[in-house]
Structures are given as C-alpha cells and as structure tokens.
Amino acid sequence: MDFLPIFLDIKNRNCLVVGGGEVAARKIALLLRAGARITIVSPQLCNELHEQVHAQLQQDRITYRAEAFHDHHLQDAVLVIAATSDSIVNRKVSEAAGRLHIPVNVVDNPGLCSFIMPAIVDRTPILIAVSSGGASPVLARLLRARLETLIPAAYGRLAAYAAEFRERVKLRFSRPEKRRRFWESVLQGPFAEMVFAGKDQAAKAYLERLLVDEAEGAEGAAQGAVSVKEQGEVYLVGAGPGDPELLTFRAMRLMQQADVVVYDRLVSPEILDMVRRDAARIYAGKERSKHVMPQESINELLVRLAKEGKRVLRLKGGDPFIFGRGGEEIETLSSQGISFQVVPGITAASGAASYAGIPLTHRDYAQSCVFVTGHLKDGSVDLDWPMLARPKQTIVVYMGLLGLPVLCRQLMAHGLPPAMPAAIVQQGTTHKQRVLIGSLETLPDLTVSANLVPPTLIIVGEVVKLHQRLAWFEPESDLHAGERDQDSAHS
Ligand code: SAH
C-alpha cells in the first residue's frame, strides 16, 4: 500500500488554499463541504471564486488575502493546498508546509504532496474514496462514476436511520450476533427499499413494527431476524424501449436483487441479460393476438410469488404506466396487502422519437402531443378523431401497425391534410431501428412494402419533417443502401 487512507475532521479548522483560479475553486468547494474555515492567498481571484468568496465572507467561512504567499500564512493551518499555476510558488508552499509538518497537497504534482485527494462518492455519512495513488486519476474517476451508478442516492439517509435506531436495536438484541443479523436483513430488505423509494415515513413505521415483532421472543428464538426476509415484494419496473443504456439506476439496482423476473416480450434480450444471473425467469408474453398469459394470471402469479417471500421483478417494456397495464397489476397487489414499488421507464414515444430525430413538441410546429393506442377492436380503431385531428399537435400511436390505414384515413377525414408528415419507427432505440417517413396519404403503402418487424410506433405531425435534419442515430441495420434511401424518402 503506497498511502494510508484516512478521513480527516476539518470542521471549523483553518485550511490554507494558495491560488485563486478554477482549480482552487473546486478544492475550496470541497473543503467547505467538509465544514472547514478557509484562508485564500492569491493576488487575484477568478470570477467564480470571486462570487463564492463574497457569498461566504458574511458567514465567516472564508478569509481572503490578496497577496503573494508567505510562510506566515501557514500559521494555524491544519491543511494546505497549493493550486497556483506557478511551479516555484507551489514548491515554496510545499517546502514550508513540510518544515512545519502540515499536510500539503500540490495539485497535479504528486512529488510535492504529503497527501493526495481521492475521487469521492459522497453519501454522507457514508463516504467512499477512490485513489490510484497518482498513477491514473482518470481511472480513479471512472471507477468513481461506476460506483455512483451502483449506490443509491439515498444511502446516506439509510445510514442516518441506522444511526437513529442504533441504540434501540442494541437494547432489543443484547447479543451482538443477533444484532448483526437484524441489521443485515433490515439494510437489504423492504426497509431499505422504502428509504430508496423516498417512502421514509412508511420505512420508519416498518422498522418500528419490526423491532416490536422481532423482540417478542426473538432473543430466545433461533430464527432471530430471519422473518424479515419472509416478506416478499414486487418491483414494477420500466425497462425502457430497448437500448439497455436507457435503463434507470434504480431499475438496474432492482434487477440485481430480484429472486425472480416476470418479463414481457418487449423487454430486449440485452436487458434481460443484465438481470441477476441466478434469478428465475418467467415469460409473461403478450404478443399481438396471442397472449401467452392472460392478465389475470399475471396478476395472480405476482401475488403468489410475493407471498412465497420472493423479491419479484415485474419487468415491462417502456414505462409500466403507459399502455402497460401496470395500474391493474398494482391494484391487485395492493388489494392483497403486498408491498410494491413502481419504477418509471423511458416510454417508446420518447425513446423512438429521440433516436429518430423527431422532437415530439416544437415551438413552431407542435404545442401538444398525445399518446394513443391504435389497437384494433372488431377491425376498427375507436378513437376521438376530432380531438386528434387538431393543428399543431403531434400524435403518437402505440400498437398501431395493423390499424394504420384506418388511422390515416380517419385523420384525413377529420381535417388533417393528406401531406401531413407521418413516420413509423420499427424497434426504436435498438440496433434494428428503422424509420419510414411519409405522409398520411403515403405511409400505409410504404409500410406494406417494408416488411416491418414489431414493435413499431407511429408519429404524425409537422415535427416529423425535422427528422432529416435532426437524426443523429441511424444505426446500421440489415437494410441495403437502396432500401435505406427509400426508407428516408419524403413523399
Ligand atoms: N409500456 C410501453 C408500451 C407498451 S404497448 C411503453 O411505455 O413504451 C406496446 C407498444 O409500444 C408496441 O406495440 C409499440 O407500439 C410500442 N413500442 C414499445 N417499444 C417500442 C420500440 N422499441 N420501438 C417502437 N415501438 C415500441
């Protein structure tokens, strides 16, 4: 080990920062977060620091000396940072601090440092410091970024609650072994999930209840805190439209801790592959006209699995509450008293539109945007046509491929011009994405000859014509060049 990692208490202690540029500003911000008092020594200050100094001066946290560095500035300092662009000054600071045995850091010069500053993940009171010992600060930062995505933002609050309940837990369980097991299951179970989901009141009530339940005979009972785990729960998670990079941090985390995943056809294989390896996988289907599992059976399945004590990940394409029947599933769960949480996902409209370069609203072309389902009922599409056929509005149609001819006909019959731009996006956001651009008049025919593969999304409105200018993502698909040209041809 090249360095000893320690965490320093600098609350209300004097720290000296030599330098007044942007680098110094970043270090100062960090020192202030740790509660330090700061003296800045620098003939000049950059704009950012100038403002910061003035904001902090009133609160007595910062003293500014508009002068060159002198050894006497080190008086009372418990820590020094040199962040000037002048290597002679930096060396002078380092040597003076060395003589007085004050820890010193010279930015970007490990040779002059007696301590180095790590990249940090801040979930106060939990702190993670990552250092490469100066070998590769970029690598340390990349690692930090990975940790940031893995560790829920609410970890700090979780730790704070643990501190709040610590004494009471100690009183309840006198044996350290029992206590440890209690905390282990609490910090990984529904209590933690409630805190992460922002349901703090419910979390605290749950912990209170648990303390009472567990305490009743728990000291004698062999199973101790194990009963905490006997409660299953359901995570209703939106997996986004296909590209795994569009998953939320929370979705990713819950995917790692599920015991069983119940997933739809729309969940891409790449995403399914990211679910915890040893989680059981149950396909709940839903293909057009051949539902693998009726909705009622899915609802019952979720209830049964949760009652068995499983952490059930109900993974759905896009957003669970947009044409996803998520509402029905949680209705059943809540009527059965099963705890659940819903994690929103990027819905197909947002995903497919962004990747196709079609802004759903635009100051000049569309002030409103409606999402409708074009699902056929008895061979026709039952929609509020006058409401849809309004000017300056974008219409996004989910499940609309079969009904496309009816849709276009009806919109024209209700006043939209035949030349109104319209697009259909196949497998949006995936590497198989294809975009066909036409108009209300031409799109149905274009689609027939294109052999599209579901899922597909239809977008109607003036904004569609921006596609050519704004598309930034035109993935290489299995199309031949000729087909691609035809795909992009406007009517
Ligand atoms: N809950 C989902 C929608 C489920 S309905 C969401 O929020 O996105 C299923 C319909 O969504 C499909 O018929 C199709 O119209 C649309 N869809 C879902 N993913 C899509 C994708 N990657 N590309 C295009 N359309 C998609």
Side-chain angles (χ1 to χ4, degrees), residues 146-431:
R146 281 174 71 170
L147 292 171
E148 287 281 8
T149 63
L150 284 179
I151 300 165
Y155 235 68
R157 288 211 321 281
L158 187 64
Y161 285 130
E164 189 180 321
F165 279 84
R166 200 171 150 176
E167 282 309 311
R168 286 178 54 196
V169 173
K170 217 168 176 173
L171 282 177
R172 285 277 191 269
F173 306 99
S174 52
R175 301 219 323 255
E177 163 71 2
K178 280 267 161 62
R179 223 155 45 221
R180 184 175 55 75
R181 276 175 54 192
F182 177 83
W183 278 125
E184 273 174 7
S185 51
V186 163
L187 296 174
Q188 298 178 79
F191 170 73
E193 273 315 317
M194 285 183 226
V195 174
F196 296 156
K199 298 177 186 163
D200 290 40
Q201 289 313 319
K204 282 174 85 164
Y206 176 83
L207 194 52
E208 298 277 1
R209 221 171 40 241
L210 215 57
L211 270 174
V212 176
D213 291 354
E214 294 296 331
E216 280 166 6
E219 285 293 319
Q223 60 270 61
V226 174
S227 66
V228 178
K229 282 206 169 140
E230 282 164 12
Q231 290 227 17
E233 54 189 333
V234 176
Y235 316 133
L236 185 57
V237 175
D243 182 348
E245 293 224 29
L246 296 180
L247 283 168
T248 60
F249 291 159
R250 185 169 293 170
M252 265 302 266
R253 186 168 53 72
L254 295 174
M255 283 161 68
Q256 300 317 308
Q257 68 186 44
D259 299 311
V260 49
V261 49
V262 181
Y263 65 99
D264 277 355
R265 181 182 54 91
L266 281 174
V267 176
S268 69
E270 292 85 356
I271 288 177
L272 205 58
D273 207 39
M274 295 166 111
V275 174
R276 192 164 72 105
R277 292 264 165 255
D278 46 1
R281 286 160 163 72
I282 301 174
Y283 177 55
K286 296 250 201 78
E287 228 149 322
R288 198 167 50 210
S289 71
K290 56 171 174 176
H291 283 205
V292 170
M293 206 185 271
Q295 187 64 47
E296 296 70 39
S297 313
I298 298 177
N299 299 351
E300 282 162 23
L301 174 71
L302 298 177
V303 170
R304 181 169 59 75
L305 291 168
K307 284 193 170 162
E308 286 170 9
K310 305 245 168 55
R311 287 168 300 183
V312 186
L313 176 75
R314 174 68 176 116
L315 200 55
K316 285 172 165 292
D319 181 277
F321 281 179
I322 296 183
F323 306 126
R325 306 189 74 169
E328 295 162 52
E329 290 177 12
I330 59 171
E331 233 172 278
T332 313
L333 295 172
S334 92
S335 74
Q336 298 279 326
I338 288 166
S339 76
F340 62 86
Q341 60 169 298
V342 183
V343 181
I346 291 183
T347 190
S350 307
S354 318
Y355 281 46
I358 301 172
L360 292 177
T361 67
H362 188 290
R363 254 158 59 116
D364 300 333
Y365 306 109
Q367 274 86 51
S368 66
C369 173
V370 286
F371 296 176
V372 294
T373 160
H375 202 61
L376 289 173
K377 247 190 221 147
D378 311 323
S380 78
V381 187
D382 185 19
L383 290 168
D384 181 351
W385 300 111
M387 183 275 284
L388 292 181
R390 283 200 190 133
K392 300 218 161 190
Q393 174 165 272
T394 306
I395 310 163
V396 181
V397 189
Y398 289 69
M399 296 172 273
L401 188 58
L402 285 187
L404 181 65
V406 187
L407 181 91
C408 292
R409 227 179 19 249
Q410 287 283 15
L411 288 175
M412 290 188 282
H414 286 82
L416 288 188
M420 176 62 81
I424 185 158
V425 183
Q426 162 194 301
Q427 295 173 302
T429 79
T430 73
H431 61 279

Side-chain angles (χ1 to χ4, degrees), residues 356-357 362 365 464-472 490:
H362 188 290
Y365 306 109
V464 168
K465 65 185 178 205
L466 297 169
H467 155 75
Q468 262 189 339
R469 260 197 290 149
L470 302 183
W472 61 274
H490 285 252

